[in-house]
Amino acid sequence: TGQASSSGYSGGQEVKRVYRERVLVRVYDLGQNTFTQWHNKLTKSYGAFHTGVEVYGQEWCFGMTFDSFSTGISCHPPGKNPDHTYRETLSMGYTALSPKEVAQLLEMMSRDWKGSTYNVLSRN
């Protein structure tokens, strides 16, 4: 439930589809080394982590690039970021955005969030 009938006419009125898609945050230990994994497991309340946001079956994240023109936003299969070690998934609720609206938002963000602006402490 949470989705009305697809766009069309019902009794002379246009019916707008209602979207309700779960949004998940994937948490990773930063990098692929065992020291980071051990440290994060030991401390639990703080550590070195990376996250990605999953919506409509794709996971999106922000990271560094080595040039000034490439976007820092990238896409990976959920839970499969090749640069980090998967730890857990957290539910963030739902979005009412359609797949098209999510794609438009990501396109806009891709222009504004260049990888060269990544900072591990202030723009992460």
Side-chain angles (χ1 to χ4, degrees):
T1 82
Q3 291 187 357
S5 62
S6 55
S7 293
Y9 291 95
S10 174
Q13 293 183 346
E14 185 172 344
V15 177
K16 182 176 166 128
R17 181 171 179 175
V18 176
Y19 290 91
R20 187 170 191 260
E21 180 70 15
R22 184 179 295 274
V23 178
L24 302 170
V25 172
R26 306 283 180 186
V27 180
Y28 298 84
D29 291 316
L30 190 64
Q32 299 257 342
N33 68 64
T34 54
F35 176 76
T36 303
Q37 294 168 22
W38 171 81
H39 178 269
N40 289 351
K41 188 174 187 177
L42 183 67
T43 59
K44 279 255 180 198
S45 61
Y46 64 92
F49 300 100
H50 172 81
T51 59
V53 177
E54 179 186 344
V55 64
Y56 290 110
Q58 294 292 320
E59 182 180 318
W60 301 90
C61 63
F62 176 64
M64 181 181 74
T65 61
F66 295 104
D67 59 59
S68 61
F69 53 87
S70 296
T71 184
I73 295 178
S74 60
C75 181
H76 308 284
K80 305 288 185 194
N81 187 304
D83 299 322
H84 305 289
T85 306
Y86 173 77
R87 171 174 282 273
E88 66 181 317
T89 299
L90 306 171
S91 177
M92 296 300 294
Y94 296 87
T95 181
L97 297 179
S98 70
K100 182 178 180 181
E101 290 168 322
V102 169
Q104 290 170 338
L105 177 62
L106 286 162
E107 177 64 34
M108 181 184 71
M109 290 176 68
S110 291
R111 290 190 299 267
D112 295 336
W113 288 77
K114 300 296 181 199
S116 60
T117 67
Y118 175 88
N119 181 290
V120 70
L121 298 177
S122 63
R123 189 170 168 102
N124 181 342

